[in-house]
Every structure is written in C-alpha cells, then in structure tokens.
Amino acid sequence: MAPLTVSLASHYPLRAIYMVYAILAVASRVPFWLIYYLPRSLRQHQQWSYKQAILIQLFRTAIPYAVTLRLAPPMSLDPLKEKAQWVTVKPSPTTTYTDILQDPDIKPQTIGGTWYPDTPQRSSNRPVILHFHGGAFVIGDGRKENIAFGANLLLKHAGPSYRVFAPQYRLSSYPNCRFPAALQDAVSAYEYLRHELGVPAAQIVLSGDSAGGNLAIALLRYILSTSDALPKPRAVLLWSPWVDPAAAAVDAHVASGNRNYSTDFLADEFINWGIETYLSPHVDATSAYISPLRHPFDTQGVPLWVQLGAVEILADDIVKFAEAMRGVRGNEVDVHSDSYAPHDTFIIGNMIGFEREAEVAAKAAGEWLREKLVAPET
C-alpha cells in the first residue's frame, strides 16, 4: 500500500532531489544552533539542557520537510524485525462495528501488532496495556523502532505482571484509511485480546500517546456506548493526548499561534497533514469521536490518568479536557504534568533528550496503576 501523495516533492525523482535538499538545509543550520544555544538565557526554556535545546530545534526544523516528502512508514503485515513479537489480528464479526464505525467506504481489515516483551499464550492471566501510538494519524506503527522506548518504560514501572500490545492501526496517510479506520482497528485489537487470548476486559488498560491518546479516548467512548456488548476496560492512560483536532480544522496555524510554540517541536504542517487526511466527509471534526475536549462524558467508573508536558503546544487543551472530564459526576481523573517537558516525551524522550522526564512520568503511571488496580500474580 502506497501512502497518499499530495505534495509534488513526494513524487520520484523530485522526492530524492528534495530529500537531499532537506538534509542539507537542516544540516547547514546546526553549526549556528551549536553556538547560539550555548548561553542558557538563549534556549527555548531556561531549564532545558544544551542537548535538549538543540534537539528540539532540530526536530521542529526537520518536520516540515518530512511532511512535504510525505514520509509515512510502510504498512506491512510481515513480522520484519519484530519476529515472534509480531501477530496479525483479523476483524471481529461485522456486528461488532456499529454506529460511528459504519462507513460506506471504510471497512475493518486485518492489521498487525507488536507485543512487549513477548507474545503471551492464550488464557494468560496477566494484565495487558493496549497502547495506541501517536503520529497525527499519519505516521507510526507500534513496532520496536517506533515505541520500544515507551513500551519498555511501561513494563519497567507498571510491574512484571504486565504486557504491552501495540497495534499497527491504519494510517490516514494511506488511501481509504481515514476515520473511522483507526477506530475500527482499535476495536479489533480490543476484541483480539478478549477473544483470541482470553484476556478479561477488567485486565485491559487502554493507553495512547498524542493521536493515539485521542484514539484511546474514542475507543473507551465506543465501548461504553455498546450497552455492555463490549465490556469496559479497567483504566486508561493518556500521554500528551490530542483532544481537539477540530481546532486545526479551522486554523492552519494552530501550532505556530500557540503560546508554547517556542518550547515544542510540533509544526503546523504536521498537524494539518493529520487533520486533512483523517477527517471523514460523513463525520464533522467537532464529533465526540474526533474532538473529545468538546464532549466530556461519563466514564462509568473507568479511571483516567492524563500526562502532559507543561510547555507543549497541547498543554492548555489537555488541562481543559481533564477539568471537563472531572466535571462529570462520578469520573475519576488524575493528571501528571511535567513542568518543563514538550510534547510526547513518553515515546520520543530518548530522541529529544528528555529521557529523565519520560522516566518520571512512567514511574508516576506505574504507581497510579498499582494504587488503582490490583494486578494478579504472575
């Protein structure tokens, strides 16, 4: 399956030429950054290290070039480097996909997924964290090169009884993979855990970073809407969740116009690529399943743990979302804010110099899980 190619520079041979240009354009600026960010007073945030300042600047500069090239990962169902950690997941019976999941053009398909640290046997009594990767719905695949850093942090701090399963849900950067494709795949993954592996719903913790956090919220909403046809999960972990894509649908400068733009790496081009390809002609951007900030709901006893970087672009929206969810009677919402962190350090902290912040957040999540949940013996 080939990704959608809207940009002229994403076509060969212009793609190769533009890629060389992009590399040279970014590399040419590095010497300046190496000098400019030596004084702490000139860094994007004065609490940041020299390394963090340079890597954030590097990411933010490189992202628009990557968007122009439409650098979406290959969507293969082959095991590749994951080997025995990889599984394929077939769609559930069609009656599982109702209401918002019914679409004249988008149908459930077989997907893949990666297990951490290994693939469990059927009827395992160990709890599972079902994690949905981020990437604005256009990049990412849940494989080791994509989320191993975050998955290993979860395994370290949640406890030895846990496993993590990361589905390779369909990306909207590919043809016919707009909404509700990713949500269909999320339901397929949830049902795979319950029916193929025999994991009780009460042993499943939903989790997601960035756009994956949006997907985890949508999955919880869908599960709760089925009138117990799908039993509810035990809890939800949200890492820098993207809770208001509708804002980007009406404002192409939602990143650059944000008060935290200088202390984050997210770029308008990346966010716009995501929202332009993800939206469905049949569902408005303000839909509860796309922009949950605008639609707080009763979680029916499922507790939420929400993490954010206080200086990330999505910080204000995430805080508003947590407050709105807390405002619904009976909801339990705990928030962990990393004072000087940008977006999604949980998954890419090792790439941008925020390993310590990611470790602190994962430790907090693990403590929360142990406080709220009683894990079975291994």
Side-chain angles (χ1 to χ4, degrees):
M1 182 184 293
L4 292 171
T5 53
V6 178
S7 168
L8 182 63
S10 64
H11 292 270
Y12 290 101
L14 291 178
R15 180 187 181 95
I17 297 172
Y18 185 82
M19 185 174 294
V20 172
Y21 162 74
I23 293 172
L24 293 175
V26 175
S28 67
R29 304 179 193 185
V30 173
F32 171 74
W33 299 334
L34 292 175
I35 298 172
Y36 182 81
Y37 288 121
L38 281 171
R40 185 174 292 273
S41 61
L42 293 178
R43 296 172 195 169
Q44 302 95 318
H45 196 291
Q46 292 192 15
Q47 296 296 325
W48 286 4
S49 69
Y50 179 58
K51 176 183 177 181
Q52 290 170 336
I54 292 173
L55 289 177
I56 289 293
Q57 185 63 63
L58 178 64
F59 258 67
R60 192 169 64 187
T61 303
I63 284 175
Y65 292 110
V67 172
T68 301
L69 289 165
R70 294 298 192 261
L71 292 179
M75 299 294 287
S76 173
L77 291 179
D78 295 329
L80 304 178
K81 295 179 181 179
E82 285 60 44
K83 299 180 180 179
Q85 290 175 251
W86 178 261
V87 298
T88 54
V89 176
K90 295 181 179 179
S92 296
T94 55
T95 53
T96 308
Y97 309 93
T98 62
D99 189 37
I100 195 70
L101 297 186
Q102 294 181 328
D103 187 279
D105 303 309
I106 310 298
K107 306 299 180 184
Q109 296 182 10
T110 298
I111 61 170
T114 304
W115 279 100
Y116 301 86
D118 51 30
T119 304
Q121 300 296 317
R122 178 174 171 78
S123 300
S124 169
N125 195 37
R126 294 171 62 173
V128 174
I129 297 175
L130 176 58
H131 183 80
F132 302 103
H133 67 80
F137 299 112
V138 290
I139 64 171
D141 54 21
R143 293 179 182 262
K144 289 189 284 188
E145 289 186 359
N146 177 212
I147 73 154
F149 174 71
N152 289 332
L153 286 178
L154 276 178
L155 292 172
K156 176 181 178 180
H157 293 289
S161 62
Y162 281 88
R163 279 190 173 93
V164 175
F165 181 60
Q168 179 183 270
Y169 61 83
R170 284 170 287 172
L171 300 175
S172 61
S173 49
Y174 284 81
N176 300 316
C177 292
R178 56 165 174 77
F179 183 88
L183 185 52
Q184 290 174 348
D185 297 343
V187 172
S188 296
Y190 191 72
E191 290 296 82
Y192 155 74
L193 295 180
R194 293 202 313 117
H195 294 296
E196 293 297 317
L197 293 186
V199 181
Q203 292 284 69
I204 299 174
V205 175
L206 304 185
S207 176
D209 65 282
S210 194
N214 180 295
L215 188 54
I217 298 167
L219 176 58
L220 176 63
R221 187 188 294 270
Y222 179 76
I223 290 170
L224 298 179
S225 75
T226 64
S227 301
D228 296 328
L230 296 179
K232 60 189 178 184
R234 187 63 185 87
V236 182
L237 303 174
L238 302 173
W239 312 82
S240 291
W242 190 16
V243 293
D244 194 27
V250 297
D251 182 3
H253 304 287
V254 70
S256 59
N258 189 279
R259 68 182 181 89
N260 286 337
Y261 180 62
S262 64
T263 52
D264 207 348
F265 57 84
L266 288 177
D268 291 323
E269 293 87 347
F270 184 57
I271 294 174
N272 295 339
W273 182 22
I275 197 65
E276 289 167 4
T277 56
Y278 188 63
L279 290 182
S280 165
H282 311 295
V283 181
D284 191 83
T286 60
S287 163
Y289 284 95
I290 294 177
S291 297
L293 170 60
R294 302 167 187 242
H295 304 273
F297 62 101
D298 180 0
T299 66
Q300 299 179 29
V302 179
L304 307 183
W305 183 87
V306 185
Q307 178 271 343
L308 68 138
V311 298
E312 69 168 293
I313 286 171
L314 302 184
D316 291 344
D317 284 348
I318 296 170
V319 170
K320 291 176 184 176
F321 168 77
E323 291 175 347
M325 292 297 287
R326 280 174 174 164
V328 178
R329 185 176 181 180
N331 281 358
E332 184 176 352
V333 183
D334 289 285
V335 177
H336 175 87
S337 178
D338 295 306
S339 300
Y340 313 120
H343 181 65
D344 209 2
T345 55
F346 169 65
I347 290 296
I348 66 168
N350 60 326
M351 300 174 66
I352 57 176
F354 283 83
E355 296 92 341
R356 187 188 68 81
E357 289 77 5
E359 182 90 28
V360 169
K363 182 179 180 181
E367 292 172 349
W368 182 83
L369 284 174
R370 287 190 292 276
E371 176 187 345
K372 301 297 180 184
L373 319 176
V374 178
E377 297 295 329
T378 56

